[in-house]
Amino acid sequence: MADHLDRILEEKYTTPLRTGYKWFDDIFMLNPFENHVERIKNFQVRDDDIWLSSFPKAGTTWTQEMAWLIVNDLDYKGAEAVLPTRFPFLELGCVADFRHYKRQHPEFECPESSLDPIGYINKLKCRRLIKTHLPWKYLPLQIQNQSTKA
C-alpha cells in the first residue's frame, strides 16, 4: 500500500514546488514541514489575532475575503492586494517550497508572505488575520493551552 501511495504522490502531486512527502505522526505532509513544526509550535500569538482554521477546499478563501473586509471596514481598494499578503497562510512554507523554487529560478517573483509566511506574520504591526489548515495538535501552543484571546 505504501509503495502505491508513494507512486501516486510522485506521479500526481510532485511539482517543482512540492517534492518529498512523509508522515508526521498522524498527518502526511511535505518534507519542509519538519523545518517548521517548532516555529509554529512556538509562534507568538497576539490576543487580537484572528485565526481561520479549516479543512482544505471548505470555502476558506471565500471566508478569508469576508473576514478581511469586515475587519477592514469594507475597504474594497485594500482588498485588491493579493490575499496571502492580507491574510497569510501560516504553513504555506510547509506545503509549497517557494524558497527552493526561487533558488532554482531567481527570476521568479514571489511575495515575502509566500517565501516565509511565519516570518512575514511576525513582522505585521496591525491586527493579524491568519489562515491555517493544520490540525489542532499542530497549532501554536498558546492556542492549544488557551493562554491567548485570539
Side-chain angles (χ1 to χ4, degrees):
M1 181 67 167
D3 291 337
H4 183 68
L5 181 58
D6 288 344
R7 186 177 53 74
I8 290 171
L9 288 170
E10 182 66 32
E11 290 174 7
K12 304 290 184 188
Y13 295 100
T14 298
T15 71
L17 292 173
R18 296 179 176 183
T19 58
Y21 295 83
K22 71 185 248 186
W23 282 102
F24 291 90
D25 292 329
D26 54 353
I27 63 171
F28 205 60
M29 291 288 279
L30 287 156
N31 287 336
F33 183 64
E34 188 170 38
N35 302 325
H36 298 279
V37 172
E38 288 299 313
R39 287 181 76 198
I40 293 170
K41 181 170 65 171
N42 297 312
F43 182 82
Q44 291 299 301
V45 178
R46 298 179 193 161
D47 284 339
D48 67 341
D49 285 346
I50 295 175
W51 287 73
L52 174 57
S53 181
S54 67
F55 289 107
K57 304 297 181 195
T60 310
T61 302
W62 180 76
T63 305
Q64 285 177 266
E65 291 290 5
M66 281 192 315
W68 190 91
L69 283 167
I70 290 167
V71 168
N72 291 281
D73 295 322
L74 302 178
D75 177 8
Y76 291 103
K77 187 71 177 157
E80 292 176 6
V82 294
L83 190 57
T85 61
R86 296 181 286 122
F87 208 128
F89 181 15
L90 181 71
E91 70 271 16
L92 182 60
C94 306
V95 297
D97 195 350
F98 288 100
R99 287 178 175 230
H100 175 71
Y101 187 79
K102 182 127 177 88
R103 282 192 297 274
Q104 293 178 335
H105 304 276
E107 73 286 356
F108 176 63
E109 298 282 330
C110 187
E112 182 186 359
S113 60
S114 297
L115 287 172
D116 180 15
I118 297 168
Y120 176 80
I121 295 167
N122 279 326
K123 290 181 199 173
L124 292 175
K125 302 285 185 237
C126 57
R127 186 171 207 179
R128 304 181 306 184
L129 291 98
I130 304 165
K131 164 191 167 180
T132 184
H133 291 314
L134 290 173
W136 178 261
K137 75 183 236 177
Y138 290 101
L139 293 179
L141 290 175
Q142 289 178 304
I143 290 177
Q144 291 182 45
N145 65 26
Q146 299 176 352
S147 63
T148 177
K149 294 178 185 177

